[in-house]
Amino acid sequence: MQVLLVEPAYYSRYPPLGLMKIAAYHRVLADDVRLVRGLADIRDFKPSRIEITSLFTYAWKPVHQAIEFYHEKFPEARIGVGGIYASLMPEDILKDHPYVNIHVGLNTEAERYMPDYDILKQVDRWKDWDGSILFTSRGCVNRCPFCMVPVMEGGLRNVLSDPRSHVHPEHSRVIVWDNNFLALPDWKEKMELLRQTGKYIDFNQGLDARQMTREKAEMLASLKTKGIRMAYDGEHEKEAAHRAADLLENAGFGRREISFYALYNFYDYECSFYDTPDEFYRRILDIMHMGCVSYPMRFVDFHSKSKNGFVSVMWSEERLEAVAKARRVLGFGGAFPPYEGLVKKFEQAGSFDEAFRLEPKKAGETGTEVTGAVADG
Ligand code: SF4
């Protein structure tokens, strides 16, 4: 059987892991598998099955384009669509393309396979890819209201006991996509197995600061890493963030090797959990005072079809734009490292509007350049 795997032409820093696993599954069945990205000119291949993946809901358009394009090109082929957007909003695809099969959630047949990295050589964008991506677990022990993991994957469960089995011998790094690695009962065994690979280990989804202990910090320091990322998503996490940074520093990490994702623009009507511009400013300043790097993460409603469509009632378009601009102009790679000048600017500011103001005040000016619809405290 000829199977065509399609990654729609949206932006992604990572190759399509789900499709790579499906490729491995079909290779075992001796099927002829091809991977393409976007709308490819295919001449010497006539698939009877086409699998199209999807990413975030706001990247829906290229998915629809791919479905239309390949359905027209191969009308006889059975088309399956999976991935995040397909799982969260299947009806949004079916209303326009009732002939496709939607795979909601994980592809249980393919999930256990080591991704087929050789297939990436068929796509220009991925042909030099050098990292093994793996999940040793799915789900999470927490249910943070802004996160899609509990909705998509449910509670924490083990899916791979020996991560070495999914590490490609030629890769230089291992990218761990577990949602909450430190909450795993067998975190220690897995970390030891990861250490044995001798490769760079990247806990890409961030580690849960609340789960950090001295033993975990010391084991993390024994790995080859390029720093540790955690989350500091609200003032309620302040104590845990400070404790985790202290533990990591005591274990041997430099403060600048520690970064915190800092959520902003979130508002939940049901549980009254939200942030405000001034609270966000205080959090960023707190991270700077810790000597660590902050990485602002704008909340994107995971059912929204436009990337920046959601604006919390506590924020405004202007203030959100001010953060984006400051990240470009004042930050480095979208992050705020604790540069002396930047820390001073934030310390002197005293409020979000002043801190994220990019132009110096003109003589006699008292107002702020960045204004918002809602006053916050
Ligand atoms: S700890 Fe992380 S993965 Fe778990 S629910 Fe919260 S944000 Fe999601």
Side-chain angles (χ1 to χ4, degrees):
M1 176 165 68
Q2 293 196 316
V3 182
L4 180 68
L5 306 177
V6 181
E7 180 192 30
Y10 41 56
Y11 171 76
S12 172
R13 285 181 63 193
Y14 299 98
L17 189 68
L19 292 184
M20 289 148 66
K21 289 186 177 186
I22 293 173
Y25 167 77
H26 281 287
R27 288 253 169 106
V28 167
L29 299 176
D31 291 331
D32 188 4
V33 191
R34 187 170 293 190
L35 174 69
V36 294
R37 188 174 148 78
L39 314 180
D41 183 15
I42 302 166
R43 287 155 198 251
D44 51 345
F45 200 74
K46 198 163 182 278
S48 50
R49 256 180 98 163
I50 299 174
E51 299 292 348
I52 300 173
T53 190
S54 65
L55 207 57
F56 299 114
T57 49
Y58 59 76
W60 61 274
K61 229 181 224 164
V63 178
H64 284 248
Q65 284 165 348
I67 295 170
E68 272 158 37
F69 180 80
Y70 291 105
H71 178 57
E72 201 179 309
K73 203 168 173 67
F74 305 111
E76 306 295 322
R78 182 171 165 249
I79 299 181
V81 188
I84 296 174
Y85 164 54
S87 296
L88 289 172
M89 302 176 79
E91 67 297 334
D92 200 62
I93 297 175
L94 288 170
K95 71 174 170 34
D96 291 341
H97 315 286
Y99 48 86
V100 305
N101 298 293
I102 302 285
H103 308 301
V104 174
L106 298 175
N107 182 324
T108 45
E109 280 176 330
E111 182 55 20
R112 64 195 167 92
Y113 285 89
M114 160 130 177
D116 180 351
Y117 288 98
D118 288 341
I119 205 159
L120 294 181
K121 295 193 172 70
Q122 298 179 7
V123 176
D124 259 10
R125 182 177 169 81
W126 304 122
K127 65 181 182 351
D128 299 321
W129 181 254
D130 179 38
S132 293
I133 306 172
L134 56 88
F135 284 92
T136 80
S137 65
R138 293 283 188 169
C140 185
V141 287
N142 299 325
R143 294 190 66 82
C144 302
F146 46 82
C147 179
M148 74 168 89
V149 168
V151 180
M152 292 273 295
E153 300 181 13
L156 185 67
R157 64 191 186 283
N158 185 49
V159 294
L160 181 68
S161 295
D162 187 347
R164 293 173 306 180
S165 64
H166 281 213
V167 175
H168 194 287
E170 286 164 21
H171 288 165
S172 66
R173 60 192 175 123
V174 181
I175 299 159
V176 181
W177 270 0
D178 287 48
N179 303 301
N180 201 332
F181 189 91
L182 297 184
L184 289 172
D186 60 348
W187 66 267
K188 196 173 178 177
E189 292 81 1
K190 284 177 175 167
M191 231 191 262
E192 173 54 24
L193 295 170
L194 287 167
R195 196 184 61 75
Q196 287 173 17
T197 65
K199 299 180 189 291
Y200 276 102
I201 309 298
D202 174 4
F203 291 99
N204 191 269
Q205 300 301 82
L207 294 169
D208 187 344
R210 294 161 290 191
Q211 297 283 344
M212 193 64 74
T213 63
R214 189 163 64 106
E215 193 184 15
K216 288 170 183 172
E218 284 170 358
M219 273 201 81
L220 284 166
S222 75
L223 302 176
K224 264 164 80 176
T225 63
K226 291 185 175 162
I228 295 295
R229 301 186 200 97
M230 294 178 287
Y232 181 179
D233 290 326
E235 282 184 327
H236 63 289
E237 291 181 4
K238 181 176 177 138
E239 204 187 312
H242 279 259
R243 222 183 103 261
D246 290 346
L247 288 166
L248 287 167
E249 185 182 38
N250 290 340
F253 284 96
R255 288 269 170 171
R256 287 203 186 187
E257 291 179 291
I258 303 167
S259 52
F260 286 95
Y261 294 121
L263 179 79
Y264 67 105
N265 185 44
F266 180 72
Y267 191 96
D268 186 310
Y269 290 90
E270 279 170 24
C271 67
S272 319
F273 179 83
Y274 59 85
D275 56 85
T276 67
D278 277 343
E279 184 277 319
F280 171 69
Y281 153 70
R282 287 194 298 273
R283 219 171 342 125
I284 296 292
L285 184 56
D286 192 32
I287 296 169
M288 287 177 174
H289 284 156
M290 286 159 74
C292 302
V293 177
S294 55
Y295 193 90
M297 292 281 278
R298 176 173 174 168
F299 173 73
V300 176
D301 182 352
F302 52 80
H303 284 98
S304 169
K305 287 178 74 181
S306 80
K307 188 170 182 187
N308 290 333
F310 178 77
V311 179
S312 156
V313 293
M314 295 296 172
W315 285 76
S316 63
E317 299 271 10
E318 292 83 355
R319 281 172 162 154
L320 292 171
E321 182 49 32
V323 177
K325 244 190 214 161
R327 292 178 67 188
R328 285 195 301 271
V329 179
L330 305 173
F332 180 80
F336 295 126
Y339 297 144
E340 209 184 316
L342 196 55
V343 177
K344 211 176 265 173
K345 173 180 164 61
F346 271 58
E347 277 173 346
Q348 285 168 355
S351 70
F352 172 89
D353 288 342
E354 280 302 308
F356 286 84
R357 172 194 181 92
L358 298 176
E359 299 294 325
K361 255 189 209 173
K362 293 176 194 105
E365 188 181 320
T366 52
T368 55
E369 219 177 45
V370 184
T371 54
V374 180
D376 49 60

